[in-house]
Amino acid sequence: MEEKQLISVKLAEKKISMLGAGIHNVTMEETMCAVDGFITAGGLHQIITLNAEILYQAQFNERLLSLINKADLVTPDGSGIVWGADYLGVPLKERVSGIDLLWEICRMAPEKGWRIYLLGAAPGIADKAAENLKMKYPGIAIAGVRNGYFDINNKEEIQNVLEDVQQAAADIIFIAMGAPRQEYFIEDYGKDLGVKIAIGVGGSFDVVAGAVKRAPVFMQKMGIEWLWRLLCQPSRWKRMLNLPRFVGLVKKTKKKQGL
Ligand code: UDP
């Protein structure tokens, strides 16, 4: 069996299903094995780090749900996902968030020789994130950097971005344009990027650049990182209403299943 098929068979064995979406029950270590395998196998692979907000949105958005189910690897990003899976009797081993995955891949990149491209966030942020990553992980090859404020409906601008990424010859691209915008971008243009792995990482560049502070570890451990994000960025309140809605939906699903 080809390397590519072998990885997908192994990952398929680790899949659970929640609210119509397949999620891989993987640890960070297993995720990193898959990353290594994807790069060796070649071709484009999409990784989605799924949180409860997006899974809730996907219930009413066919494109989004089908895109999640087509991804090569879907990791449980938030504590909401881990809670929901537990509640529905399909427990997940741990959270593998986009920001943690970004740090881990960048930590391994110098040794593995992986070339990284950072696409997304406001002008200057990805540059600062790249600078910080170079300081933290000496020898890391940042193949290219570009902000995420281009017109998604303008063919010329898109072509410009694609050419820039292709010329950089990166292995892995992190796209920090917010979910699901970044996932749609990968679905539409992933194959034109010339990378082996594309991962949407939401607001992670803001954290790596030091423009936004991540929740303290105790809050991450308590599963209330969402509260920190709400306190720091109160403008998120509207979209965060999807969290209690997600909880309600999970409870309703359990009742329906007579669990
Ligand atoms: N962003 C972007 N292009 C856009 C809109 C947003 O690059 O057209 C960036 C924005 O600057 C921020 C990130 O996308 O860095 C979105 O962060 P958010 O915390 O909303 O993402 P989430 O983690 O919730 O998906």
Side-chain angles (χ1 to χ4, degrees):
M1 210 186 274
E2 258 184 67
E3 172 99 18
K4 200 174 170 122
Q5 285 171 304
L6 206 70
I7 303 167
S8 63
V9 169
K10 273 194 192 159
L11 283 174
E13 287 166 6
K14 294 180 189 291
K15 223 171 189 179
I16 65 131
S17 178
M18 177 163 51
L19 305 182
I23 304 170
H24 291 97
N25 183 13
V26 284
T27 59
M28 177 59 86
E29 204 182 327
E30 289 166 328
T31 302
M32 289 306 291
C33 276
V35 165
D36 207 13
F38 289 159
I39 293 197
T40 310
L44 172 74
H45 298 84
Q46 179 170 11
I47 302 181
I48 294 183
T49 63
L50 187 66
N51 65 26
E53 265 176 69
I54 294 301
L55 180 52
Y56 184 78
Q57 263 189 53
Q59 305 302 304
F60 313 95
N61 181 334
E62 249 175 63
R63 180 183 180 189
L64 185 54
L65 189 62
S66 121
L67 177 157
I68 294 167
N69 284 323
K70 275 193 277 183
D72 298 276
L73 177 58
V74 180
T75 70
D77 179 291
S79 50
I81 295 281
V82 174
W83 168 82
D86 214 35
Y87 193 80
L88 292 172
V90 281
L92 291 161
K93 288 185 256 195
E94 67 184 38
R95 263 185 85 182
V96 178
S97 70
I99 178 80
D100 287 332
L101 185 56
L102 184 154
W103 286 125
E104 192 56 17
I105 287 177
C106 290
R107 187 177 73 80
M108 293 302 292
E111 185 190 323
K112 295 280 188 183
W114 298 335
R115 291 170 59 78
I116 309 288
Y117 195 104
L118 304 180
L119 172 65
I125 295 286
D127 302 84
K128 181 71 184 142
E131 206 179 289
N132 289 351
L133 287 171
K134 283 185 201 158
M135 246 169 6
K136 196 167 162 90
Y137 305 115
I140 190 170
I142 302 290
V145 168
R146 200 180 174 111
N147 76 65
Y149 287 82
F150 48 87
D151 183 358
I152 210 91
N153 298 312
N154 182 321
K155 278 195 178 148
E156 251 174 62
E157 274 191 49
I158 295 278
Q159 197 51 34
N160 207 274
V161 173
L162 298 180
E163 277 169 21
D164 197 44
V165 180
Q166 282 159 10
Q167 274 165 19
D171 297 297
I172 302 173
I173 186 166
F174 291 106
I175 306 187
M177 289 164 49
R181 188 186 289 106
Q182 60 207 12
E183 278 72 29
Y184 290 154
F185 182 81
I186 295 170
E187 184 178 49
D188 290 340
Y189 304 107
K191 289 220 159 64
D192 304 318
L193 298 171
V195 299
K196 294 171 190 132
I197 300 182
I199 316 175
V201 289
S204 297
F205 293 177
D206 299 295
V207 175
V208 176
V212 169
K213 252 185 125 181
R214 194 175 175 194
V217 176
F218 84 89
M219 283 182 125
Q220 293 175 36
K221 285 196 175 148
M222 283 173 73
I224 52 169
E225 193 161 7
W226 59 269
L227 179 61
W228 174 265
R229 295 194 83 178
L230 183 60
L231 291 172
C232 295
Q233 295 162 274
S235 57
R236 296 177 76 91
W237 72 270
K238 218 169 178 178
R239 52 184 283 194
M240 280 184 121
L241 287 177
N242 278 348
L243 292 177
R245 290 182 185 130
F246 169 81
V247 171
L249 186 61
V250 169
K251 290 196 168 174
K252 211 163 115 189
T253 306
K254 182 163 168 164
K255 239 189 198 163
K256 253 200 210 155
Q257 291 173 344
L259 292 170

